[in-house]
């Protein structure tokens, strides 16, 4: 096969998938360089995958069919109404629309673990390895550490997320653009819901709730816990930029790093804007399990330069409204592998060119769709109080403007 050595910078979803693909293509040595010193299991947040996208990735061998996940079937859009009206008296708000929702939810770490378990034995993970720079030319590439040590490879793959150092070498002009709003995120053991008026029973297990308010929305669903059989509540609260947030560079505030004042500001905002049940769901979140992420867009005009390649969030950041980020990362790795299998031979150039062509276009479509969804659902949202089922259905259809579907592209359509 191709032989040679491949470094993958970043060992998250995209990195694990690309490492497996490179090993299966016949690379002699595949090294994953991951900055995080410890195991990544603690990144316990929710990710959804569309049932069809999941099945395609299983058929293609990227995911195990028995990957532990939580079934969702319906997305109920609600908004705050006059007290008690249309909410059965349980404080859930007025129902705007019940939308079919053929998705499963995942715990990030469970998905990552399943991916890692499928990685060929030849893949070597080096935790605590931060890459500070990369470079190269048509014949080879290198990674550099903080002490200046350079290591040569035949190919360097950047799967190092939204602040990618590999992207800085491939596309120095491209960087994340702030979308103008943030998402607060939280998760916790769903047994805590029993403490709410109405308890856990007021919120069906298979429901993704979308709670709309003027200027934003909260998306809430359950995900599998790390321990088999356990379930967590997971929520994403799209909200205006807090006045304390510094936006002079891409930044997020990690779980446990928000101050008491910042957290109580968010909770008070939730109480003012949301039906009481959902404000209560948010208020139950332990401070150490609440974090904040500004929402970004990023699309790159090309994904390769010499023997450097970028994939996953290093190459495209799609607003979370489209629930396609993990699928997109896996599809990037799939396209890379398929191009290698299709083209054969020992040269990396045709493979890199084919990957670049296929995935750059797909990424642009997804970013466009994410922007459209963000405008329609957050920054230019309708007057929710005037919406009903048929109006919501028509409004939703108007948002699906690009070739990318909600939840991501069909596998193989673009790659
Ligand atoms: C609020 C929110 C909700 C989301 N919801 C969904 C959803 O429902 N469905 C979905 O599919 N996707 C969702 N996503 C997106 C999804 O999480 C990502 O798109 C996906 O995980 C792909 O990530 P990645 O592997 O490319 O990058 P990341 O997960 O960001 O990983 C990058 C890795 O690189 C490492 N790294 C960074 N720099 C260096 C360096 N210099 N040297 C070494 N290592 C480095 C990091 O430590 C990290 O492990 C959501 C995202 C957000 C923000």
């Amino acid at each position: 096969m191709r032989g040679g050595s491949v470094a993958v910078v970043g060992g998250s979803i995209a990195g694990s998938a690309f490492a497996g693909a490179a090993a299966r293509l016949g690379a002699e040595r595949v090294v994953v360089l991951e900055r995080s010193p410890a195991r990544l299991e603690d990144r316990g947040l929710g990710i959804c995958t569309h049932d069809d996208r999941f099945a395609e990735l299983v058929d293609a061998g990227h995911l195990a069919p028995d990957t532990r996940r939580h079934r969702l079937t319906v997305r109920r859009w609600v908004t705050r109404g006059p007290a008690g009206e249309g909410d059965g008296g349980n404080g859930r708000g007025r129902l705007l629309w019940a939308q079919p929702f053929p998705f499963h939810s995942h715990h990030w770490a469970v998905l990552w673990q399943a991916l890692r378990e499928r990685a060929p034995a030849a893949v070597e993970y080096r935790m605590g390895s931060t890459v500070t720079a990369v470079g190269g030319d048509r014949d080879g590439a290198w990674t550099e550490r903080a002490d200046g040590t350079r290591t040569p490879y035949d190919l360097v793959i950047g799967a190092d997320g939204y602040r990618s150092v590999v992207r800085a070498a491939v596309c120095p002009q491209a960087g994340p653009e702030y979308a103008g709003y943030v998402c607060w995120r939280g998760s916790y053991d769903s047994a805590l819901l029993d403490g709410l008026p109405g308890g856990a029973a007021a919120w069906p297990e298979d429901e993704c709730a979308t709670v709309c308010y003027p200027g934003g929305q909260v998306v809430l669903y359950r995900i599998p816990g790390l321990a088999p059989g356990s379930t967590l509540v997971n929520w994403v609260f799209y909200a205006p930029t807090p006045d304390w947030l510094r936006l002079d560079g891409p930044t997020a505030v990690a779980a446990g790093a928000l101050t008491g004042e910042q957290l109580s500001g968010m909770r008070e905002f939730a109480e003012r804007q949301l039906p009481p049940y959902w404000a209560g769901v948010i208020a139950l979140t332990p401070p150490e399990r609440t974090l904040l992420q500004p929402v970004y867009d990023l699309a790159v005009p090309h994904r390769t330069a010499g023997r450097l390649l970028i994939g996953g969030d290093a190459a495209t950041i799609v607003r979370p409204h489209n629930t396609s980020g993990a699928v997109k990362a896996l599809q990037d790795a799939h396209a890379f592998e398929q191009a290698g299998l299709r083209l054969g031979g020992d040269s990396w150039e045709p493979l890199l060119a084919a990957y670049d062509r296929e995935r750059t276009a797909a990424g642009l479509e997804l970013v466009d769709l994410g922007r459209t969804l963000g405008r329609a659902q957050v920054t230019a949202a309708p007057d929710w109080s005037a919406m009903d089922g048929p109006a919501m259905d028509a409004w939703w259809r108007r948002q699906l403007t690009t070739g990318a579907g909600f939840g991501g592209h069909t596998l193989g359509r673009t790659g």
Side-chain angles (χ1 to χ4, degrees):
M1 290 292 292
R2 282 170 199 280
S5 57
V6 175
V8 180
V9 185
S12 172
I13 303 276
S16 299
F18 268 100
R24 286 189 295 272
L25 280 178
E28 239 163 58
R29 195 161 69 90
V30 181
V31 182
V32 178
L33 303 167
E34 167 55 48
R35 176 177 61 193
S36 183
R39 292 154 66 84
L40 299 175
E41 274 83 346
D42 288 345
R43 297 183 183 178
L45 285 172
I47 280 190
C48 291
T49 54
H50 190 287
D51 289 352
D52 295 346
R53 305 293 78 78
F54 184 85
E56 289 159 1
L57 288 164
V58 168
D59 286 348
H62 298 290
L63 291 172
D66 58 354
T67 305
R68 212 150 46 79
R69 56 202 196 278
H70 180 92
R71 176 147 190 69
L72 300 168
T73 64
V74 63
R75 184 175 189 182
R76 288 203 177 83
W77 299 70
V78 298
T79 194
R80 191 169 174 142
E85 185 198 287
D87 66 4
N90 59 12
R92 286 174 41 106
R94 179 172 76 83
L95 178 66
L96 293 170
W97 187 33
Q99 178 187 29
F101 196 66
F103 281 76
H104 277 86
S105 64
H106 306 263
H107 188 298
W108 181 93
V110 175
L111 192 63
W112 175 76
Q113 193 64 50
L115 265 177
R116 222 189 130 162
E117 277 163 14
R118 293 181 84 75
V123 175
E124 180 196 345
Y125 275 80
R126 287 196 201 146
M127 305 305 284
S129 301
T130 300
V131 172
T132 51
V134 299
D137 53 28
R138 289 168 55 95
D139 300 320
W142 47 263
T143 62
E144 188 173 283
R145 293 152 48 121
D147 64 5
T149 319
R150 279 191 182 180
T151 311
Y153 295 93
D154 291 301
L155 178 69
V156 171
I157 296 176
D160 48 345
Y162 78 125
R163 299 173 84 166
S164 168
V165 296
V166 185
R167 183 181 63 238
V170 172
C171 271
Q173 73 280 22
E177 286 169 28
Y178 182 52
Y181 54 98
V182 300
C183 51
W184 298 82
R185 301 185 76 180
S187 66
Y188 58 87
D189 188 337
S190 59
L192 292 177
L193 291 174
D194 286 332
L196 285 179
W203 180 12
E205 299 257 343
D206 63 343
E207 176 187 280
C208 168
T210 302
V211 186
C212 304
Y213 69 92
Q217 61 177 217
V218 192
V219 182
L220 310 96
Y221 51 89
R222 290 178 179 84
I223 62 172
L226 273 183
S230 63
T231 312
L232 304 179
V233 167
N234 180 82
W235 53 263
V236 182
F237 186 175
Y238 298 97
T241 314
D243 52 13
W244 50 263
L245 186 67
R246 292 188 52 201
L247 283 163
D248 45 3
T251 180
V253 186
L258 289 155
T259 66
E261 202 178 331
Q262 290 165 348
L263 285 167
S264 51
M266 180 271 290
R267 286 181 188 146
E268 282 158 22
F269 183 69
E271 261 168 45
R272 282 197 304 278
Q273 301 290 349
L274 308 180
Y277 183 82
W278 302 112
V281 171
I282 287 175
L284 284 174
T285 317
E288 70 280 7
R289 298 201 56 99
T290 311
L291 59 98
L292 180 135
Q293 289 171 325
V295 177
Y296 293 108
D297 298 308
L298 167 77
V300 293
H302 57 96
R303 290 179 168 223
T304 60
R307 295 285 188 88
L308 301 174
L309 169 158
I310 49 177
D313 282 9
T316 358
I317 304 174
V318 179
R319 298 188 197 184
H321 311 287
N322 196 30
T323 59
S324 62
V327 164
K328 153 180 76 77
L330 295 171
Q331 292 185 343
D332 282 351
H334 177 78
F336 168 77
E337 188 171 347
Q338 290 302 305
L341 292 172
R342 207 167 54 235
L343 297 165
D346 288 330
S347 165
W348 289 105
E349 276 73 27
L351 190 175
L352 295 178
Y355 168 80
D356 193 359
R357 223 174 20 250
E358 291 167 7
R359 295 309 290 169
T360 300
L364 292 170
E365 280 188 351
L366 279 173
V367 174
D368 260 7
L369 178 57
R371 284 192 175 117
T372 304
L373 297 177
R375 269 194 299 273
Q377 297 177 29
V378 179
T379 52
D383 173 4
W384 302 111
S385 68
M387 300 293 272
D388 58 12
M392 290 290 292
D393 191 27
W395 164 82
W396 176 261
R397 286 173 198 282
R398 283 196 298 275
Q399 295 170 50
L400 304 181
T401 49
T402 73
F406 177 57
H409 288 99
T410 304
L411 187 68
R413 198 190 68 73
T414 60

